[in-house]
């Protein structure tokens, strides 16, 4: 019997705010889907990460709508959006901002970089030098930027949507494991199905629906929603399940690198948001199972044998999820 | 070549051979056996030699082994030998089948040369090369061994015994070498090793001693060594399995093996299941009663032990002899007054309740020094008139049962022409053991032939307690029913002697029983009752058995002697005994007289032709007489009418409160009512799963309290119900996923689907939310779901769900799994201990 309560669950579960959240989420989702049709799960994952205060890595071939998704999400929420096109010559200060000497005031003045926005779109992140990559990733984790000894906190909500192209890898700097670990989820959008692609030709043929997209929620709404998500109840059984899952990746023979404790934390937070999007004030194993691959797969490294037998980490992870018994009966 | 595996295989056979030490005295056989193993190992190496050398060695071995043929007197012997050698040499370069024949020839040839060198070197050429003579010496030895096997173990270490043991060990070593080293199937090599272990178990060995346990453990260790060595060899051949894996800090890379925990756990589960089955199945199947697990001492209390028993034993040999074409056994002259009554005993058997069999009793062997036999005639006192009879015997062909001398009871002196020494006598039964096959032996036996009077047989003296304990009780099957028969047939008999005579008269009375050499008796424990009540057809085997058992039930000590009747006179006072005179007869013990024989088997043309009733038991009236106690009872006419006064006076020793008598009326362990118990057991077993299911359901609902409790109970009940109908939930399936799947798979009514969804939602909230929903309606929902699933199931599915609910069986499986998992610590502790040991060794050597 489950009697445990999460530390956030003692407050009266704000059902109205959950309803509200779901309503807002529906609106945002509908708005985004006018741009990205036929990919509700990718949109839902993006929303989940937004509400769980994480960052997304979208890894896919060119032209499937990575940037469109990021832009649509940013547009449908009335918040600041900045886009950074990562190139090999991009410097860290091009992201964080620089202190410039103001001749009139005769003092140094901080010129904030593109990172100072609610949603930052980092396009082709693997094309930047590791130094620049790490500058971005540091601010992602800390949610603040320090320049010349002064710390500038970033606005909330803050989400980085980074894209990466797995095909053209020449001249790129693939993200090392430590930095991939900072992204809450990695998703790939994939090609649309036949009908969706037909619909896309119709709607995108003359003008971009992105231009017609009107904000349906405000940044302050998102901040409230993030707070509401924190109150979603996570029972002891679910926490145990998450730990079991993470441990299973560490002991699986097919993997030589398992999921980190940060991964467990991300999975927990994402599960909360996922449950909230479902208008539930508690997390169920289905949430964790649905999120296991997007949240964990990009952090795992296959063993040599698995590479030879072409067992990709997401396949191994799916097998683990299917095999791992739920705690209790 | 594979010296390491060859050596380990040889060691495994050596250690397994130790288990024979419980059977054979001394250690010469073991040394011979070890030599045989070494020879076989060398033969194995020879068979694995590369082509030209291998062919030469094989040819040489076969040439030496076939030497007796080469040196034979006939012209075709050498020719056949050379042809054989050539054939084997050709075979070594042939295909699979010819090559395996050549390999087999090499093994057997080496073994033969070795055995010849060890056991018949004197008759061999240059010690090792077999000759005609050495072969005949060698072939005569096993017969000696087989006759020694009738002893209770441990048997004395005769040359024949050593030869048989060494040859057996050598054959086992051959099988092990072929399987483990050549074919690389060391696990299967356990089967021939098991043969060595099973010999002591299958033999007449009664007690399981610590020494035997130790021998078994050592043998097992040898086998395990073989298995592990083979595993190592395989790794060496293929290299080591390499896994890439991030090591935790402080973890050594050296000695890190692939993760085999899952495989080990499966192995443990299989092992546990096998052990459980091995223990449980013989316990519940009554016919597989040969387990000596809990009743090794064999006091007969073990319920299902024994089958039809010794019908195949020594008693069975009598039937074979009687059915075979008559062959001469011996001729003799005797000084006995009535030679026709002088039987020749070979074996004396005592009843073994545990096996329901008559077996030679284990007694001490005494060496015969000089002509006087060492053992005293049991029970016979000087008060009894006993004639001293001298019998001169010449044995012919297959005399008696091998190495035992047929002698008239009770032998006191023995002189054997040509072989005055080397004889052994078994104290108690006075069986005489010769070691060598008594073919064409000439010997003279002096025996004391007791000639008791009726009064002497009707004495009130006590039977010695040892005799009474060993021979005076029957703990076999159907004891109480048999006792009733014995009482009925001996009603009115005043004394033990009278009872015996009455029994004998009953068996021999015309119409009661008939004689046939091929009786149709059920091959079961209860055959004796069938014989006495229904079938009533048999020969000396059945009659002697029945008589001895009934006598024992009447508290008269009884044994069965096996040997020959007096045979038929030929000429000049010479008598001849053939295999047609083979016979078994009961002997009863009377105080002061000792063992006296009775004859329940019908004689004459409609029975055992030469069987005679002894003079003291001949009259039907004799038993009830006693008015003429002083006179011997030589003929029927000498007996007087019955005197019932004796009975009134209580003139019998049986019911006088003598210790050890009169209390064996209801022997334990007899007549276990399998006919009733088995069906009841079967019904109980069949009903058990259903009963467990119903009980668990009731308990579950009773134990449920509160909304969360109700939700859990409803969920588990539904899971079990669905599992009963073959819709099992996987352990990783959440309530929501399971409900979704079932709703999609099963064509349920909307109401039932909603009920199932409610149960799933309630469980989900009870498990994962901070509060559970009200659970009042859940029991109804559970019933609705169960009915809906049952309605959509086939008839056989419904029946199976009712009779054999899968949920109950999975619980059993889970329990087994948990029990197997309890040994998980082995996985953790053994490798770490090994690692520590290795570290300690390396640090010391550094």
């Amino acid at each position: 019997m489950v009697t445990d309560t999460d530390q956030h669950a003692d407050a009266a579960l704000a059902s109205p705010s959950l309803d509200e959240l779901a309503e807002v989420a529906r609106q945002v989702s509908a708005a985004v889907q006018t741009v990205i049709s036929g990919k509700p799960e990718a949109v839902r994952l993006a929303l989940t990460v937004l509400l769980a205060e994480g960052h997304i890595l979208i890894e896919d071939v060119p032209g499937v709508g990575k940037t469109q998704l990021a832009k649509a999400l940013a547009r449908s929420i009335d918040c600041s959006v900045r886009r950074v096109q990562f190139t090999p010559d991009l410097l860290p200060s091009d992201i964080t901002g620089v202190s410039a000497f103001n001749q009139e005031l005769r003092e140094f003045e901080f010129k904030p970089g593109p990172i100072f926005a609610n949603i930052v779109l980092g396009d082709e992140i693997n094309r930047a030098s590791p130094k620049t990559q790490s500058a971005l990733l540091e601010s992602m984790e800390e949610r603040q930027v320090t320049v010349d000894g002064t710390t500038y906190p970033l606005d909330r909500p803050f989400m980085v949507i980074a894209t990466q192209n797995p095909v053209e890898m020449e001249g790129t700097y693939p993200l090392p494991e430590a930095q991939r670990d900072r992204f809450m989820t990695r998703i790939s959008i994939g090609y649309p199905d036949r009908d969706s692609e037909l619909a896309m030709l119709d709607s995108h043929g003359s003008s971009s629906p992105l231009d017609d997209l009107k904000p349906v929620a405000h940044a302050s709404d998102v901040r409230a929603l993030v707070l509401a998500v924190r109150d979603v109840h996570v029972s002891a059984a679910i926490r145990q399940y998450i730990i079991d899952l993470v441990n299973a990746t560490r002991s699986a023979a097919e993997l030589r690198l398992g999921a980190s404790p940060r991964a467990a934390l991300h999975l927990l937070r994402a599960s909360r948001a996922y449950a909230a999007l479902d208008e539930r004030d508690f997390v169920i194993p289905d949430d964790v199972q649905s999120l296991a691959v997007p949240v964990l797969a990009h952090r795992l490294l296959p063993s040599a044998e698995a590479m030879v037998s072409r067992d990709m980490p997401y396949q191994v992870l799916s097998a683990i999820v299917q095999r791992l018994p739920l705690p209790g009966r | 070549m594979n010296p390491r595996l060859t050596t380990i295989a040889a060691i495994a056979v050596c250690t397994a051979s130790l288990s024979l030490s419980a059977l054979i005295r001394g250690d010469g056989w073991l040394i011979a056996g070890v030599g045989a193993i070494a020879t076989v190992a060398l033969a194995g190496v020879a068979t694995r030699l590369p082509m030209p050398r291998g062919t030469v060695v094989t040819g040489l071995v076969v040439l030496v082994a076939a030497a007796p043929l080469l040196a034979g007197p006939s012209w075709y012997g050498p020719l056949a030998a050379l042809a054989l050698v050539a054939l084997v040499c050709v075979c070594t370069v042939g295909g699979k089948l010819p090559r395996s024949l050549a390999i087999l020839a090499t093994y057997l040839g080496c073994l033969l040369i070795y055995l010849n060198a060890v056991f018949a070197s004197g008759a061999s050429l240059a010690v090792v090369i077999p000759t005609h003579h050495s072969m005949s010496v060698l072939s005569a030895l096993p017969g000696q061994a087989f006759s020694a096997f009738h002893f209770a173990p441990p048997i004395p270490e005769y040359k024949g015994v050593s030869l048989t043991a060494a040859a057996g060990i050598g054959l086992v070593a051959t099988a092990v070498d072929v399987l483990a080293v050549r074919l690389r199937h060391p696990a299967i090599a356990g089967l021939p090793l098991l043969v060595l272990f099973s010999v002591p178990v299958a033999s007449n060995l009664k007690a399981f001693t610590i020494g035997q346990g130790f021998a078994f453990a050592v043998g097992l260790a040898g086998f395990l060594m073989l298995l592990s060595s083979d595993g190592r060899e395989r790794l060496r051949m293929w290299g080591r399995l390499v896994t890439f894996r991030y090591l935790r800090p402080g973890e050594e890379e050296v000695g890190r093996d692939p993760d085999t925990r899952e495989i080990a756990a499966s192995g443990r589960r299989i092992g546990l299941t096998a052990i459980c089955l091995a223990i449980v199945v013989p316990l519940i199947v009554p016919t597989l009663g040969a387990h000596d697990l809990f009743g090794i001492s064999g006091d007969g209390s073990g319920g299902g032990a024994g089958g039809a028993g010794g019908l195949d034993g020594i008693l069975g040999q009598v039937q074979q002899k009687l059915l075979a074409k008559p062959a001469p056994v011996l001729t003799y002259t005797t000084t006995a007054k009535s030679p026709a009554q002088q039987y020749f005993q070979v074996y004396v058997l005592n009843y073994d309740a545990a096996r329901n069999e008559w077996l030679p009793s284990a007694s001490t062997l005494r060496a015969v020094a000089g002509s006087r036999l060492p053992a005293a005639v049991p029970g016979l006192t000087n008060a009894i008139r006993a004639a001293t009879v001298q019998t001169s015997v010449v044995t012919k062909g297959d005399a008696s049962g091998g190495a035992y001398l047929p002698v008239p009871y009770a032998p006191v002196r023995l002189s054997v022409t040509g072989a005055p020494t080397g004889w052994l006598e078994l104290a108690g039964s006075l069986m005489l053991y010769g070691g060598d096959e008594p073919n064409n032996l000439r010997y003279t036996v002096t025996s004391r032939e007791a000639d008791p009077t009726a009064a002497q047989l009707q004495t009130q003296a006590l039977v010695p307690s040892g005799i009474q304990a060993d021979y005076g009780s029957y703990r076999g099957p159907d004891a109480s029913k048999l006792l009733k028969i014995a009482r009925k047939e001996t009603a009115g008999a005043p004394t033990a002697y009278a009872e015996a005579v009455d029994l004998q008269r009953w068996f021999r009375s015309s119409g009661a029983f008939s004689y046939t050499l091929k009786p149709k008796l059920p091959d079961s424990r209860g055959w004796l009752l069938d014989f006495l009540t229904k079938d009533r057809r048999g020969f000396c085997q059945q009659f002697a058995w029945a008589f001895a058992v009934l006598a024992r039930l009447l508290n008269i000590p009884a044994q069965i002697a096996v040997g020959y009747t007096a045979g038929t006179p030929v000429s000049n006072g010479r008598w001849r005994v053939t295999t047609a005179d083979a016979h078994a007869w009961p002997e009863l013990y009377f105080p002061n007289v000792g063992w006296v024989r009775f004859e329940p088997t019908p004689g004459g043309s409609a029975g055992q032709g030469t069987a005679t009733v002894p003079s003291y038991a001949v009259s039907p009236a004799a038993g009830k007489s006693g008015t003429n106690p002083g006179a011997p009872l030589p003929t029927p006419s000498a007996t007087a009418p019955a005197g019932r006064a004796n009975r009134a006076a209580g003139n019998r020793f049986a019911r006088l409160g003598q210790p050890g008598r009169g209390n064996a009326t209801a022997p334990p362990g007899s007549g276990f009512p399998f006919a009733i118990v088995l069906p009841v057991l079967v019904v109980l077993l069949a009903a058990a799963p259903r009963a467990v299911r119903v009980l668990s359901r009731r308990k579950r609902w009773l134990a449920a309290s509160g909304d969360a409790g109700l939700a859990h109970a409803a969920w588990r009940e539904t899971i079990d119900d669905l599992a009963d109908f073959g819709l099992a939930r996987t352990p990783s399936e959440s309530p929501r996923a399971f409900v979704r799947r079932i709703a999609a798979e099963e064509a349920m009514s909307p109401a039932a689907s909603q009920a199932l969804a409610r149960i799933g939602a309630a469980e989900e909230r009870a498990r994962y939310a901070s509060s559970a929903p009200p659970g009042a309606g859940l029991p109804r929902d559970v019933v609705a779901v169960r009915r809906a699933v049952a309605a959509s199931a086939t008839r056989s599915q419904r029946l199976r769900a009712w009779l054999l609910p899968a949920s109950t069986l999975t619980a059993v499986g889970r329990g087994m799994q948990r029990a197997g998992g309890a040994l998980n610590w082995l996985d953790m502790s053994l490798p770490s201990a090994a690692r520590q040991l290795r570290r300690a060794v390396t640090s010391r050597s550094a």
Side-chain angles (χ1 to χ4, degrees):
Chain A
M1 188 158 145
V2 180
T3 54
D4 237 66
T5 52
D6 187 62
Q7 49 179 344
H8 297 297
D10 49 349
L13 280 171
S15 307
S17 97
L18 258 189
D19 290 347
E20 201 179 282
L21 182 147
E23 184 53 38
V24 172
R26 242 193 316 277
Q27 285 173 7
V28 173
S29 174
V32 174
Q33 283 187 61
T34 58
V35 181
I36 306 286
S37 53
K39 296 286 171 192
E41 195 50 33
V43 176
R44 185 173 174 174
L45 275 174
L47 271 175
T48 303
V49 176
L50 177 69
L51 296 184
E53 297 180 279
H55 310 285
I56 305 185
L57 177 64
I58 304 179
E59 201 173 82
D60 221 326
V61 289
V64 290
K66 298 190 291 280
T67 318
Q68 291 280 323
L69 172 66
K71 276 189 176 170
L73 184 64
R75 285 262 176 101
S76 54
I77 300 163
D78 183 17
C79 60
S80 55
V81 182
R82 296 294 286 276
R83 180 187 163 157
V84 186
Q85 184 66 44
F86 280 71
T87 51
D89 57 353
L90 197 72
L91 294 174
S93 55
D94 294 341
I95 292 175
T96 55
V98 286
S99 289
F101 190 74
N102 189 327
Q103 295 272 0
E104 292 172 14
L105 298 174
R106 305 189 75 75
E107 62 180 14
F108 279 97
E109 193 182 43
F110 180 62
K111 297 271 184 197
I115 194 86
F116 287 88
N118 291 115
I119 293 180
V120 178
L121 175 61
D123 228 354
E124 304 213 53
I125 189 170
N126 53 338
R127 299 215 171 265
S129 66
K131 194 175 177 184
T132 314
Q133 280 176 0
S134 64
L136 170 75
L137 295 161
E138 210 177 308
S139 45
M140 275 164 61
E141 185 68 17
E142 320 262 319
R143 289 169 191 279
Q144 61 185 26
V145 173
T146 305
V147 177
D148 293 341
T150 317
T151 300
Y152 307 94
L154 296 174
D155 203 7
R156 286 190 183 231
F158 173 64
M159 178 162 84
V160 173
I161 302 178
T163 70
Q164 182 167 258
N165 179 357
V167 180
E168 291 171 354
M169 297 294 273
E170 289 88 1
T172 63
Y173 305 91
L175 290 182
E177 281 79 45
Q179 301 197 347
R180 289 151 80 96
D181 199 29
R182 287 166 205 250
F183 287 97
M184 183 177 266
T185 65
R186 180 194 57 183
I187 58 176
S188 61
I189 295 174
Y191 292 113
D193 56 31
R194 193 184 161 81
D195 293 343
S196 307
E197 204 159 3
L198 265 177
M200 186 201 76
L201 290 186
D202 288 344
S203 57
H204 294 235
S206 49
S207 65
S208 170
L210 199 60
D211 301 335
D212 306 334
L213 199 61
K214 296 277 180 291
V216 290
H218 194 262
S220 61
D221 292 341
V222 176
R223 272 197 292 277
L225 295 180
V226 165
L227 286 180
V229 163
R230 287 184 185 176
D231 286 339
V232 169
H233 175 74
V234 181
S235 66
I238 293 294
R239 277 177 278 168
Q240 181 64 49
Y241 182 56
I242 289 174
I243 296 302
D244 288 350
L245 196 57
V246 170
N247 275 332
T249 64
R250 291 173 195 162
S251 59
E254 300 94 334
L255 299 173
R256 81 183 146 109
L257 181 66
S260 62
R262 185 190 298 159
L265 211 60
H266 279 175
L267 188 54
L268 179 80
R269 272 163 39 191
S271 302
R272 273 202 180 112
Y274 204 78
L277 287 177
D278 208 18
E279 293 181 62
R280 244 184 301 110
D281 60 355
F282 58 94
V283 177
I284 57 173
D286 309 61
D287 300 330
V288 182
Q289 289 173 348
S290 310
L291 289 171
V293 170
V295 174
L296 300 182
H298 63 288
R299 304 164 205 250
L300 309 177
L301 286 183
S303 65
E305 292 98 333
M307 276 163 89
V308 169
S309 59
R310 297 186 182 269
D311 277 343
M312 302 309 286
Y314 76 90
Q315 291 167 323
V316 175
L317 199 57
S318 300
I320 289 175
V321 167
Q322 279 203 340
R323 207 174 53 212
L324 189 71
L326 299 181
R329 224 192 119 186
Chain B
M1 300 290 275
N2 197 334
R4 180 197 176 96
L5 207 56
T6 310
T7 316
I8 302 266
I11 291 175
V13 184
C14 280
T15 53
S17 318
L18 285 180
S19 65
L20 294 183
S21 58
L23 283 184
I24 312 171
R25 290 184 186 152
D27 50 11
W29 64 270
L30 185 61
I31 295 167
V34 170
I37 294 168
T39 309
V40 166
L42 284 177
V45 171
T47 62
R48 290 187 286 276
L49 283 176
M51 194 52 76
R53 270 188 291 164
T55 308
V56 170
V57 171
T58 304
L60 268 179
V61 166
V62 177
L63 189 67
V64 174
L69 283 178
L70 274 176
S74 59
W75 61 269
Y76 52 83
L79 208 65
L82 288 175
L84 186 70
V85 172
L87 186 69
V88 170
C89 286
V90 170
C91 279
T92 52
V93 291
K96 214 170 185 180
L97 183 71
R99 263 190 69 197
S100 45
L101 287 177
I103 287 164
L104 193 69
T106 314
Y107 277 115
L108 294 182
C110 283
L111 194 58
L112 181 75
I113 295 167
Y114 166 76
L115 292 176
N116 179 73
V118 172
F119 292 97
S121 58
S124 307
L125 193 70
V127 181
V128 286
I129 301 174
T131 61
H132 243 297
H133 183 42
S134 73
M135 281 292 116
S136 60
V137 169
L138 213 57
S139 59
L141 285 173
Q144 184 195 56
F146 287 119
S147 55
F149 293 155
H150 296 310
F151 280 119
I155 53 175
E157 189 197 1
Y158 293 107
K159 222 172 171 184
V161 173
S162 291
L163 170 77
T164 315
I169 291 171
L171 288 178
V172 169
T174 305
V176 170
D177 197 73
V178 168
L179 285 170
V181 186
R182 176 167 279 279
L183 302 179
R184 304 303 300 272
H185 289 305
I188 303 177
L191 286 179
L193 289 179
L194 201 62
V195 171
L196 284 178
F197 287 123
S198 62
V199 172
V201 176
S203 74
N204 191 13
L205 200 62
K206 294 282 177 53
F208 190 79
T209 60
I210 293 176
Q212 258 174 280
F214 178 74
F216 183 76
V218 169
L220 209 62
F223 177 54
L224 292 180
M225 210 158 75
L226 180 63
L227 283 183
S228 110
S229 167
D230 180 71
R232 207 172 274 248
E233 283 292 314
R234 269 172 208 280
L235 272 187
R236 269 219 317 231
M237 276 165 72
W238 292 101
R240 198 179 195 81
L241 186 64
V242 181
T243 47
F244 292 99
R245 190 182 262 277
Y246 279 135
L247 300 173
R248 294 185 191 95
E251 207 169 42
E252 278 180 73
E253 181 139 28
V254 184
R256 195 176 159 88
D257 293 328
D259 189 1
T260 54
R261 276 172 296 181
E262 285 286 317
I263 299 169
S266 305
R268 272 198 307 275
R269 263 167 230 147
I270 293 169
L272 193 74
T273 314
I275 291 172
C276 289
L277 283 178
I279 292 176
V280 170
V281 169
L283 284 179
I284 56 176
V285 180
T287 49
L288 288 181
H291 62 93
D292 269 356
L293 189 61
F294 303 117
I296 198 97
S297 58
D299 59 357
S301 55
L311 291 172
D312 300 328
I314 292 174
L315 277 176
Q317 294 176 5
V318 177
Q319 187 184 19
Q320 289 166 15
K321 282 188 179 149
L322 291 173
L323 284 171
K325 196 175 148 201
V329 175
L330 52 89
T331 57
Y332 66 93
T333 54
T334 180
T335 61
K337 260 194 295 179
S338 48
Q341 299 215 347
Q342 181 180 272
Y343 282 15
F344 288 81
Q345 80 165 36
V346 181
Y347 300 107
V348 179
L349 311 177
N350 188 10
Y351 184 68
D352 184 330
R355 291 164 185 265
N356 189 26
E357 192 171 354
W358 292 83
L359 299 169
S361 40
S363 56
T364 45
L365 285 168
R366 296 206 177 147
V368 177
S371 65
R372 190 165 187 81
L373 292 173
V377 179
L380 184 62
T381 58
N382 290 333
I384 308 298
R385 204 177 70 194
T388 301
V389 176
Q390 214 165 46
T391 311
S392 302
V393 184
V394 181
T395 64
K396 299 212 188 273
D398 173 28
S400 73
Y404 291 86
L405 279 190
V407 287
Y409 191 77
V412 288
R413 298 177 82 89
L414 172 74
S415 91
V416 185
T417 315
T421 54
W423 296 88
L424 297 167
E425 188 178 30
L426 273 85
S429 60
L430 307 188
M431 287 159 68
L432 282 168
Y433 179 72
D436 283 317
E437 188 84 4
N439 273 354
N440 306 319
L441 269 184
R442 284 172 181 276
Y443 59 94
T444 305
V445 189
T446 309
S447 51
R448 293 194 71 197
E449 193 182 296
D451 189 14
T453 63
Q456 283 164 343
L457 287 171
Q458 302 195 50
T459 176
Q460 287 190 31
L462 295 179
V463 176
S465 57
I467 298 277
Q468 185 67 43
D470 287 348
Y471 299 94
S473 61
Y474 172 72
R475 294 178 192 280
D478 303 323
S480 49
K481 286 178 189 163
L482 294 172
L483 179 64
K484 267 186 205 151
I485 295 172
R487 288 240 171 96
K488 186 176 147 230
E489 296 307 330
T490 59
T495 64
Y497 166 68
E499 283 174 340
V501 173
D502 277 359
L503 275 182
Q504 179 181 270
R505 191 192 54 227
W506 178 50
F507 278 115
R508 289 176 70 93
S509 58
S510 59
F513 290 85
S514 58
Y515 185 88
T516 170
L517 272 176
K518 290 181 180 170
K520 283 181 192 156
L521 286 169
D523 188 23
S524 68
R525 285 172 66 80
W527 73 268
L528 181 54
L529 194 63
D530 265 28
F531 170 68
L532 289 175
T533 54
K534 293 178 195 156
D535 199 64
R536 298 197 172 197
R537 283 146 51 82
F539 60 102
C540 58
Q541 177 183 317
Q542 281 77 35
F543 285 103
W545 186 313
F547 187 94
V549 165
L550 294 185
R552 282 186 174 209
L553 285 167
L554 295 166
N555 292 322
I556 311 168
Q559 62 185 18
I560 292 180
V562 177
Y564 300 92
T565 59
T568 44
V570 274
S571 60
N572 305 333
R574 183 160 284 277
W575 290 65
R576 188 176 63 193
V577 174
T578 66
T579 49
D581 300 315
H583 194 43
W585 63 92
E587 290 184 343
L588 305 191
Y589 187 94
F590 292 94
N592 300 328
V593 185
W595 294 105
V596 292
R597 111 180 139 81
F598 280 76
E599 186 51 270
T601 311
S605 57
Q608 170 81 336
T610 47
T612 53
V613 178
S615 57
Y616 46 79
V618 81
S619 163
K624 295 182 178 165
S625 74
T627 48
N628 190 12
L633 303 165
T635 58
S637 60
T639 55
R644 307 223 165 221
N646 275 346
R647 184 162 51 148
N651 185 16
R652 60 175 307 203
F653 51 77
R655 294 179 190 142
L656 291 178
Q658 188 178 336
R661 301 187 63 118
N663 53 0
T665 47
S670 60
F672 186 68
F674 277 113
I676 303 165
V677 173
L678 258 190
V680 171
L681 251 177
V682 168
V683 169
L684 278 180
L685 265 179
R690 178 75 203 154
V692 170
R693 179 76 186 89
V694 170
L695 284 178
S696 71
R697 175 181 299 162
R698 191 154 295 174
K699 192 176 150 206
R700 192 172 278 158
W701 285 121
L702 281 177
S705 64
D707 287 337
L710 268 176
H712 291 321
W715 174 247
R716 284 175 195 162
E717 193 51 41
T718 306
I719 295 262
D720 283 358
D721 278 339
L722 292 173
D724 292 348
F725 285 98
L727 302 166
R729 171 183 162 262
T730 55
S732 65
E733 227 168 3
S734 69
R736 183 173 289 224
F738 183 59
V739 166
R740 202 185 307 130
R741 180 164 69 82
I742 296 298
E745 282 178 6
E746 288 293 296
M748 284 198 283
S749 65
S753 298
Q754 282 162 13
L756 181 60
R758 275 196 296 274
I759 295 167
E763 170 67 3
E764 192 178 87
R765 286 201 75 89
R767 265 206 229 175
Y768 305 118
S770 48
S771 64
L778 289 175
R780 255 197 326 275
D781 287 343
V782 170
V783 175
V785 171
R786 186 188 309 142
R787 287 197 181 140
V789 178
S792 65
T794 63
R795 187 186 294 262
S796 65
Q797 278 174 327
R798 274 201 295 275
L799 186 69
R800 200 176 51 209
W802 198 89
L803 213 57
L804 285 173
S807 54
T808 316
L809 303 179
T810 19
V812 174
R814 232 183 351 249
M816 294 276 291
Q817 211 166 345
R818 214 167 289 157
L823 301 173
N824 274 342
W825 59 271
L826 270 179
D827 289 341
M828 309 292 164
S829 51
L830 280 185
S832 77
R835 228 180 354 255
Q836 275 174 9
L837 190 71
R838 212 175 299 139
R839 207 177 296 162
V841 169
T842 43
S843 69
R844 183 159 301 171
S845 64

